[in-house]
Amino acid sequence: MTKELLERPAAAGAPVATSFDPVGYFSSLGTGASIHVYQRNQRVFTQGESCEAIYFVRDGALKLTITSERTRRRATIAVLGPGDLIGETCLHKPDQYKATAHALSETTVVKIGRETMIRLLREQPELSEFFVKYLLTRHSRMQDDLVDQLFNSSEKRLARTLLLLAGYGEKTDTERVVYNISQETLAEIVGTTRSRVNVFMNKFRKLGFIEYNHGLHVRPSLMDFVHKSKS
């Protein structure tokens, strides 16, 4: 389902806020952007398709998977949620999407055309600042993911994945709920089997790190487990 956004004069750009609000900013864009709502398991774009737009996740979550051309094996490389951008590499040069994106739950995204995004980055300092900070954060997270895969146990990788999915950054006492995600998907992200994920999830539940109650509740105490546990 697609809802066109209110038209605004191209020269006016998007509204500028003193404190940049990416959700409000992208949701209020005019010409060159549109809002799309995807249902669970619906495909947003496919690996190999021409990369002509980037997507801002307003709510919900998307799973990114890649398929090997040689072996046809598929792997989940990321799960992205509210505030994330997808397809930003097409701003460098028109190319193809490197992965396939599917909605993990009902997900709302703002689709921004490549030329529109390039123009806005040139015209809007607040957007440019947000974009640079986002890319640096994303790069840092990718490095952490690589270290995680190389040196940490699958149990610790699962714990870190749950914290990332729950949106934990700085330490907080607030319990958070993870959207509906299967153990099969968690196993793909962590790089282990579904049965191992099931064992670890049961252990985390018994230790009070997580709870199933109208969703998966992830508690801050899981961060202490990640920090204290040894590979």
Side-chain angles (χ1 to χ4, degrees):
M1 177 174 71
T2 303
K3 296 181 288 185
E4 291 298 326
L5 297 160
L6 294 175
E7 296 291 323
R8 294 179 182 268
V16 177
T18 54
S19 179
F20 188 76
D21 170 23
V23 175
Y25 183 93
F26 287 112
S27 297
S28 62
L29 289 176
T31 303
S34 55
I35 295 179
H36 299 254
V37 180
Y38 295 92
Q39 302 304 313
R40 185 180 181 187
N41 294 327
Q42 188 174 357
R43 186 174 66 249
V44 179
F45 55 77
T46 303
Q47 179 180 337
E49 286 183 354
S50 178
C51 183
E52 300 175 348
I54 71 172
Y55 296 81
F56 175 78
V57 183
R58 201 171 73 175
D59 58 66
L62 296 177
K63 177 178 71 171
L64 295 185
T65 60
I66 56 172
T67 302
S68 168
E69 295 182 0
R70 184 173 61 85
T71 65
R72 307 311 300 171
R73 292 183 61 186
R74 188 182 67 179
T76 297
I77 59 172
V79 173
L80 303 178
D84 277 319
L85 291 165
I86 308 173
E88 66 276 9
T89 54
C90 76
L91 296 176
H92 174 59
K93 63 177 181 178
D95 203 347
Q96 298 176 332
Y97 289 114
K98 305 301 183 184
T100 298
H102 285 89
L104 280 173
S105 59
E106 182 175 285
T107 301
T108 303
V109 302
V110 182
K111 181 180 180 181
I112 309 109
R114 177 178 180 272
E115 297 302 322
T116 297
M117 190 66 177
I118 291 174
R119 174 177 62 81
L120 291 173
L121 286 169
R122 289 172 177 166
E123 296 176 355
Q124 302 289 339
E126 293 84 359
L127 174 62
S128 297
E129 183 179 357
F130 162 78
F131 190 69
V132 170
K133 288 181 179 178
Y134 174 81
L135 291 180
L136 291 174
T137 301
R138 183 85 170 265
H139 177 70
S140 177
R141 193 168 74 182
M142 290 174 63
Q143 287 184 316
D144 290 341
D145 289 342
L146 178 59
V147 171
D148 206 31
Q149 288 289 337
L150 291 174
F151 299 111
N152 291 331
S153 66
S154 55
E155 181 182 36
K156 189 174 179 179
R157 292 200 304 271
L158 175 60
R160 181 174 176 272
T161 297
L162 292 174
L163 291 170
L164 289 173
L165 293 177
Y168 281 108
E170 298 298 323
K171 188 163 183 176
T172 175
D173 293 331
T174 304
E175 182 178 291
R176 303 190 182 183
V177 181
V178 177
Y179 41 79
N180 188 14
I181 184 169
S182 68
Q183 290 190 355
E184 287 81 2
T185 298
L186 286 172
E188 289 179 9
I189 298 172
V190 173
T192 188
T193 63
R194 193 207 63 80
S195 60
R196 293 287 288 167
V197 167
N198 184 59
V199 170
F200 298 145
M201 294 292 278
N202 286 333
K203 176 182 176 180
F204 293 162
R205 181 177 54 80
K206 291 177 180 178
L207 291 173
F209 297 147
I210 64 172
E211 178 185 357
Y212 294 100
N213 182 18
H214 301 292
L216 173 60
H217 295 248
V218 179
R219 293 176 175 150
S221 55
L222 186 58
M223 285 191 285
D224 294 329
F225 169 79
V226 171
H227 294 151
K228 294 177 181 178
S229 62
K230 302 297 182 180
S231 300

